[in-house]
Amino acid sequence: MNEIFNDELKKLRGRFMEMGINTSEQIYKATKAFIDRDVALAKEVGENDRLINDGETYLEKHAFKLMNIQKPKENEFRSIMSILKASSDLERMADHASHIARDAIRIKGMDQHWPDIENDIAEMAETVRHMLEKALDAYVYTDERTAYSVANMDLEVDKQYVQVHEKIINRMHAHPELIKDGSHYITVIHLLERIGDHIVNLVEWVIYAATGKITELNPGKADPELVNRELQKQAETQAKQAGQNKNV
């Protein structure tokens, strides 16, 4: 019985990793579809969203089935519960990617590109995908140190969001005719920021699996002014470097 349990738990972990990899791919394809105005790719993201949903359903079903095979040990129970909770976050990330893809379809007739904003969006997407990749690594090895480092990376996503949001708003103020177009860009960066938050939730479940403790790891929630302080420090450093270069 114990051998059957271990085999099934291994399969469960494998399916969770597969769901995580598919979610990362969805994020990449959705943002690429938006930037490239690629309707076919956007529709592909929408179709693949069902696979992510099916993955969550599979994990839920088999997690409860696994616990009926035999009573899991404490660490095994935490591992199973972390999969259940973290898979819900993966499903929400994929939903956000699907919404980005829908915006790609909505703006297919939009003639004007905002290249600088689209570059910023691509960078945000790359940051959150890197976060997700590291979060999955933390899950595989039940690595607390990596889990904490992933949570800290969310600060960079928040900083990117604030900076890009300000750029978009300023442009919309200067050119009211661009308000409708700008709103689509705001939607996308907001969804990417939310994906970052869900990745932090995921590594919180890694910590739970390792320690049994439920910990708040989102730095922005713990300190709402942290992002603004970090951006102020960044601006002061850049100004100081510019002054030094001018004097050279």
Side-chain angles (χ1 to χ4, degrees), residues 201-212:
N201 291 347
L202 193 157
V203 293
E204 288 175 354
W205 292 112
V206 172
I207 297 296
Y208 169 75
T211 67

Side-chain angles (χ1 to χ4, degrees), residues 51-62:
L51 299 177
I52 305 294
N53 294 337
D54 290 345
E56 184 187 22
T57 301
Y58 173 94
L59 290 171
E60 289 177 351
K61 179 180 177 181
H62 283 76

Side-chain angles (χ1 to χ4, degrees), residues 7-184:
D7 286 344
E8 290 299 317
L9 181 56
K10 185 176 180 180
K11 288 179 185 177
L12 199 68
R13 287 171 172 160
R15 286 299 292 266
F16 175 79
M17 285 297 296
E18 182 182 337
M19 185 178 176
I21 293 168
N22 289 341
T23 299
S24 178
E25 189 69 12
Q26 286 284 89
I27 296 167
Y28 169 75
K29 288 181 178 179
T31 50
K32 180 174 175 55
F34 180 85
I35 292 169
D36 294 346
R37 310 289 196 268
D38 189 334
V39 174
L41 184 58
K43 289 181 178 177
E44 180 182 329
V45 172
E47 292 167 359
N48 288 342
D49 188 53
R50 294 197 301 272
L51 299 177
I52 305 294
N53 294 337
D54 290 345
E56 184 187 22
T57 301
Y58 173 94
L59 290 171
E60 289 177 351
K61 179 180 177 181
H62 283 76
F64 290 115
K65 179 181 177 182
L66 185 59
M67 287 190 283
N68 285 329
I69 292 176
Q70 69 179 45
K71 184 177 179 180
K73 299 175 184 177
E74 183 182 351
N75 64 320
E76 293 168 340
F77 175 79
R78 292 202 307 265
S79 180
I80 294 169
M81 290 305 297
S82 67
I83 289 173
L84 280 172
K85 296 293 187 178
S87 65
S88 177
D89 281 301
L90 287 176
E91 191 274 335
R92 292 299 297 138
M93 292 179 218
D95 277 350
H96 292 326
S98 184
H99 291 152
I100 292 172
R102 289 177 198 169
D103 248 52
I105 295 172
R106 291 189 188 103
I107 65 170
K108 63 181 179 180
M110 186 173 132
D111 295 329
Q112 195 170 38
H113 279 262
W114 297 15
D116 58 331
I117 301 300
E118 289 166 4
N119 286 338
D120 291 335
I121 287 172
E123 288 180 12
M124 280 190 74
E126 186 60 29
T127 301
V128 297
R129 290 186 70 224
H130 181 56
M131 280 181 68
L132 181 53
E133 177 186 331
K134 299 301 290 183
L136 294 173
D137 284 345
Y139 166 77
V140 168
Y141 299 107
T142 320
D143 185 342
E144 295 177 62
R145 180 177 294 182
T146 299
Y148 280 107
S149 71
V150 169
N152 289 331
M153 289 169 65
D154 189 52
L155 179 60
E156 182 60 31
V157 177
D158 290 343
K159 286 163 59 178
Q160 289 174 322
Y161 171 78
V162 171
Q163 290 174 311
V164 181
H165 186 271
E166 184 177 4
K167 285 167 68 174
I168 297 170
I169 292 297
N170 289 341
R171 192 164 303 174
M172 290 162 67
H173 278 310
H175 303 280
E177 71 277 9
L178 298 179
I179 287 176
K180 182 178 179 181
D181 295 348
S183 66
H184 290 291

Side-chain angles (χ1 to χ4, degrees), residues 225-239:
E225 290 301 315
L226 179 60
V227 174
N228 289 332
R229 288 202 306 273
E230 289 296 316
L231 287 172
Q232 181 63 33
K233 288 180 185 177
Q234 182 175 304
E236 290 171 357
T237 300
Q238 290 173 345

